[in-house]
Amino acid sequence: MPPYQPSSDWQFEVPTSGSKRLPPAARYVESLTHQGYGFEAAIADLVDNSIDAGARNVVVSFLRDDDRLVSLLVIDDGSGMDDESLDTAMTVGGREGYSETALGHFGAGLKAASLSHADSLTVISRTKRSPSAGRRWLTARAQADFTCDIVDPGYCQDLVDRYDGLIQWHGTIVRWDRVRAFDTVTTGQADRFLNDAIEKLETHLGLHLHRFLARDDFNIDIVVEDVRTKEELDHRGVEPLDPFGYRVPGRSGYPRTYTAPVEGAGEVALTAHIWPPKSPLVSFRGIGPLAERQGFYIYRNDRLVQAGGWNSTRSAEGHLALARIAVDLPNEPNDVFSLTVKKDGVTVTPAFARGLEQATDGAGHTFAAYLQEAETTYREAARRATEPQRKAVLPAGKGIDPKLRRTLRDELPELDGEDPIAFRWDTLPSDVFFELDREEREVKLNKEYRQVFNGGRRGGLNDAPVVKSLLYLMVNEIFQKERVRAVHTDNVALWNSVLVTAARCELSR
């Protein structure tokens, strides 16, 4: 390149005089800890890696030592990694390329998601052809000189063996230690913190990965584990939370698919839905404020990466609360849609808005007409007489199967900010089927009669769903009362008498 000659004319190309390599400073790692990852989004990013590794089962485990939370693990039975792959995985931006169907995108998710919440990140993995191996990043060491520790091979195998029911020939364990949120839990508040954290995580994973969870060959479980005894203190299977999972559409003729010609991305399909008005379903009301959940639900390789919002094409308004549109991003690279690093939103260029203006279905209906019909459906429902309202209840907690809890939340409004009702089996007098512990908000069931409900099988945390659900409905009001009246005490005595007799009849059959 000839040397630069000063000129008063505008330079359309910036002249250069050479180049030099400027690798990132070690302090760059500090920026990873300030990416703004929410707790649930960070865990979801780790589960994305498990899915990319072909995992069929993923377990998120909160490790508890008495009243103290000590660690968090994400365990999967994916293909695993050898030493070389581990080095790549623990390098910022280490992945040079992803397949078209991969959920990973930037090569920073594992590190950024983890270090946003924990000061120690350990990854241990094994493949069919390589032994267990591990790497650890401590935030302080990484900030100093990008140093990554090699985990002792013996410990790697010990941890893999601890979860041999899940990891058999291959799999990966991501371990978080010194989790900052855990340090904020004060004495006696571990149960409350865990219940709130797990509820939010269950909802986030159920929503953003609902297409995967709807398949028969993929499962996510959330457990609380006693770090010393290995006993499971809580176990919840994550259920798919389909944002389009209504039973009957809110308007005839929907869902309807429109095609938008978007310059730079080609024809983009928009599957438009109108929710039934006043739906009590969790997938409508339980995934966030309705004003934020209207609009576009954007998927990338079946993973939900944006749950609502209009992407600057219009403003949110109450009358469009029933409008939700599913959009699958094109597989081909384009300059119109850009995914955020945290995979919690998509930015679009004005070309998308122009495409919406021209979007129609095969019968000539326009996207603009769809928005009008969604608004009309909302207004018509608002003018109709108020529907019967069910009384709000205390939420269902530990001991009730997650599927059952989801149905209860769908059917009954819950009181905000209240501790849930939990169930557990305990030693009680033979003439007592259950007791109410109002202080702990717990229903104790007589374990003498547990076999009646398990058909000879070993009972689990969420067993006997029929009797637990009935008792939940029967005693909910009693737990809500400040004082228990004589009529409530008499009802409990009556129910105990009938249930004990019924259980004994069943045992004698």
Side-chain angles (χ1 to χ4, degrees), residues 353-367:
R354 293 193 295 270
L356 293 180
E357 294 174 357
Q358 304 173 58
T360 61
D361 69 353
H365 301 103
T366 65
F367 186 74

Side-chain angles (χ1 to χ4, degrees), residues 39-40 43 60 62 194-210 213 220-222 234-241 282 286-287 396-397 400-407 409 462:
F39 183 79
E40 300 82 29
I43 300 296
V60 180
F62 293 81
L194 280 171
N195 188 71
D196 183 57
I198 292 173
E199 287 282 346
K200 291 178 179 177
L201 181 59
E202 193 178 0
T203 298
H204 187 92
L205 295 177
L207 175 63
H208 288 81
L209 298 172
H210 73 89
L213 289 164
I220 302 175
D221 291 280
I222 304 173
D234 196 359
H235 189 143
R236 311 186 193 185
V238 179
E239 294 294 316
L241 197 54
V282 173
I287 59 175
I400 293 185
D401 188 277
K403 293 181 182 178
L404 179 55
R405 282 204 304 269
R406 183 76 70 190
T407 298
R409 288 201 294 266
N462 301 321

Side-chain angles (χ1 to χ4, degrees), residues 70-308:
V70 293
S71 298
L72 182 142
L73 305 180
V74 177
I75 311 147
D76 71 52
D77 61 356
S79 57
M81 293 176 281
D82 57 18
D83 272 293
E84 183 179 350
S85 298
L86 274 170
D87 287 340
T88 300
M90 294 295 268
T91 301
V92 177
R95 287 287 295 271
E96 295 182 357
Y98 288 91
S99 71
E100 286 189 356
T101 59
L103 303 184
H105 195 55
F106 296 104
L110 170 66
K111 286 74 65 177
S114 299
L115 297 178
S116 291
H117 293 276
D119 287 329
S120 175
L121 163 64
T122 303
V123 179
I124 291 171
S125 192
R126 66 164 294 169
T127 72
K128 279 187 177 181
R129 296 178 176 83
S130 63
S132 301
R135 300 289 185 271
R136 183 187 69 171
W137 265 34
L138 298 177
T139 303
R141 297 272 311 274
Q143 288 175 352
D145 57 8
F146 277 117
T147 298
C148 183
D149 297 321
I150 299 172
V151 181
D152 182 271
Y155 172 75
C156 293
Q157 188 58 49
D158 285 346
L159 191 60
V160 168
D161 289 343
R162 182 184 178 102
Y163 298 100
D164 62 357
L166 177 61
I167 299 177
Q168 295 180 353
W169 298 105
H170 46 78
T172 298
I173 301 171
V174 176
R175 171 175 169 170
W176 289 1
D177 292 297
R178 305 176 199 170
V179 181
R180 298 178 202 110
F182 292 176
D183 293 337
T184 67
V185 182
T186 56
T187 303
Q189 294 300 308
D191 284 334
R192 182 187 288 270
F193 173 86
L194 280 171
N195 188 71
D196 183 57
I198 292 173
E199 287 282 346
K200 291 178 179 177
L201 181 59
E202 193 178 0
T203 298
H204 187 92
L205 295 177
L207 175 63
H208 288 81
L209 298 172
H210 73 89
R211 288 186 177 177
F212 294 93
L213 289 164
R215 302 171 185 172
D216 293 333
D217 62 350
F218 183 71
N219 303 284
I220 302 175
D221 291 280
I222 304 173
V223 304
V224 179
E225 178 186 350
D226 187 299
V227 72
R228 299 183 188 275
T229 67
K230 303 182 185 179
E231 177 188 1
E232 284 189 358
L233 306 175
D234 196 359
H235 189 143
R236 311 186 193 185
V238 179
E239 294 294 316
L241 197 54
D242 187 352
F244 306 101
Y246 48 77
R247 300 182 182 102
V248 178
R251 198 171 191 88
S252 177
Y254 288 92
R256 184 178 291 163
T257 300
Y258 300 83
T259 301
V262 179
E263 184 180 356
E267 294 189 341
V268 176
L270 313 166
T271 304
H273 298 252
I274 297 179
W275 263 84
K278 304 177 183 178
S279 173
L281 297 181
V282 173
S283 49
F284 181 63
R285 296 189 177 277
I287 59 175
L290 293 181
E292 297 176 9
R293 293 311 192 194
Q294 61 183 258
F296 298 111
Y297 284 70
I298 302 179
Y299 296 82
R300 176 177 173 270
N301 294 332
D302 280 341
R303 203 268 205 201
L304 184 63
V305 294
Q306 178 176 306

Side-chain angles (χ1 to χ4, degrees), residues 326-406:
V327 181
D328 284 274
L329 293 180
N331 288 329
E332 299 76 18
N334 63 83
D335 297 326
V336 178
F337 301 98
S338 299
L339 181 66
T340 63
V341 173
K342 296 177 290 181
K343 290 180 276 192
D344 62 352
V346 174
T347 58
V348 301
T349 66
F352 182 57
R354 293 193 295 270
L356 293 180
E357 294 174 357
Q358 304 173 58
T360 61
D361 69 353
H365 301 103
T366 65
F367 186 74
Y370 154 71
L371 295 174
Q372 185 60 50
E373 289 193 309
E375 183 174 336
T376 299
T377 304
Y378 180 92
R379 292 181 183 275
E380 290 173 350
R383 288 195 296 267
R384 289 199 292 267
T386 303
E387 299 174 1
Q389 294 294 313
R390 291 172 176 167
K391 187 176 179 180
V393 297
L394 299 172
K398 268 195 232 179
I400 293 185
D401 188 277
K403 293 181 182 178
L404 179 55
R405 282 204 304 269
R406 183 76 70 190

